[in-house]
Amino acid sequence: MKDFKNVFIFDHPLIKHKIAILRDKKTGMKEFRELVEEITTIMTYESMRDVKLAPVQVETPLEVTTQYKVPEESVAIVPILRAGLGMVNGVHKVFPTAKVGHIGMYRNEETLEPQEYYCKLPEGIEHKTVFLVDPMLATGGSACDALNALKKRGCKNIKFMAIIAAPQGVENVAKSHPDVPVYVSTLDRCLNENGYILPGLGDAGDRLFGTK
């Protein structure tokens, strides 16, 4: 895979540990969901190194001091339905007041192309830092379409986060949206003939919600 300035592959030992458990087919729904949240929280911390802070006056028990905080209402979370819902609480642990929008995409099983069926976003999202989240980045089609939908509605500061990605998906998003930082915890080997990531972890949505 080519090197892209907007792609960040994490090499974090705690994430590697949790990914190993996440992949295991014996890992149950409850633990799977908790791991997705925990990995997302770590990724959120890492991806916000460039966050803009605002000065605030804080009174300690001893004196008044100038400190710096992330402005209230400056962050929004947009999961790509349905699997992206599993990452929302992970971001909320860092930004508990962040509002949540939703973009619904499904994959045409014949063409493997994404289809949008739902989009509802918080008011004023165009002025926020937007976390677009989806656990799996396979072909990149859904992510690219979701990014297009956000940009069409005025969003300019977007960060995309995926837990596991295939090289094809990373390249597709990086080339199509060079202005969007792409954060991936683990880069896997390839896609199979059905468009699933290998070695992957199966269908993230099914494992999150107990469906097949």
Side-chain angles (χ1 to χ4, degrees):
M1 192 185 77
K2 295 180 180 179
D3 290 330
F4 294 95
K5 292 183 179 179
N6 61 323
V7 174
F8 304 90
I9 309 296
F10 294 131
D11 185 23
H12 197 294
L14 286 179
I15 290 179
K16 288 182 177 180
H17 169 78
K18 294 176 187 297
I19 288 288
I21 305 170
L22 197 69
R23 292 190 194 274
D24 194 328
K25 67 179 183 181
K26 296 190 294 294
T27 298
M29 181 181 67
K30 178 179 181 294
E31 187 177 12
F32 188 93
R33 186 170 60 246
E34 291 170 349
L35 286 163
V36 167
E37 291 181 12
E38 291 165 3
I39 293 167
T40 302
T41 298
I42 298 171
M43 294 180 68
T44 302
Y45 279 117
E46 292 294 319
S47 66
M48 290 298 282
R49 290 181 179 274
D50 62 347
V51 65
K52 293 182 179 179
L53 301 173
V56 295
Q57 294 297 110
V58 175
E59 185 174 358
T60 78
L62 299 176
E63 64 180 20
V64 175
T65 178
T66 300
Q67 299 293 296
Y68 297 87
K69 295 174 64 176
V70 178
E72 291 289 332
E73 303 294 325
S74 63
V75 172
I77 313 165
V78 179
I80 299 177
L81 301 177
R82 64 186 166 133
L85 291 171
M87 299 178 70
V88 172
N89 285 346
V91 182
H92 263 156
K93 288 179 180 178
V94 183
F95 299 106
T97 62
K99 293 183 178 179
V100 182
H102 299 86
I103 293 182
M105 313 286 295
Y106 71 90
R107 184 172 66 168
N108 185 305
E109 293 301 327
E110 293 183 1
T111 65
L112 302 182
E113 292 298 317
Q115 306 290 324
E116 180 183 325
Y117 66 88
Y118 184 76
C119 184
K120 187 172 181 62
L121 304 173
E123 184 177 354
I125 193 171
E126 66 274 14
H127 303 300
K128 302 178 186 294
T129 296
V130 181
F131 281 94
L132 179 67
V133 296
D134 196 353
M136 310 296 283
L137 177 58
T139 65
S142 294
C144 285
D145 281 9
L147 287 167
N148 287 333
L150 290 173
K151 289 181 176 181
K152 185 170 67 175
R153 291 163 174 84
C155 297
K156 298 179 179 63
N157 187 10
I158 310 169
K159 296 175 181 287
F160 177 74
M161 291 200 307
I163 293 177
I164 290 180
Q168 298 95 316
V170 172
E171 289 193 20
N172 190 6
V173 176
K175 288 180 179 178
S176 301
H177 297 276
D179 58 318
V180 175
V182 178
Y183 299 95
V184 174
S185 74
T186 302
L187 185 66
D188 274 10
R189 187 173 73 252
C190 64
L191 298 175
N192 67 12
E193 64 276 8
N194 296 317
Y196 282 92
I197 302 172
L198 296 176
L201 47 73
D203 188 295
D206 285 346
R207 297 192 66 182
L208 280 163
F209 304 115
T211 55
K212 292 184 178 180

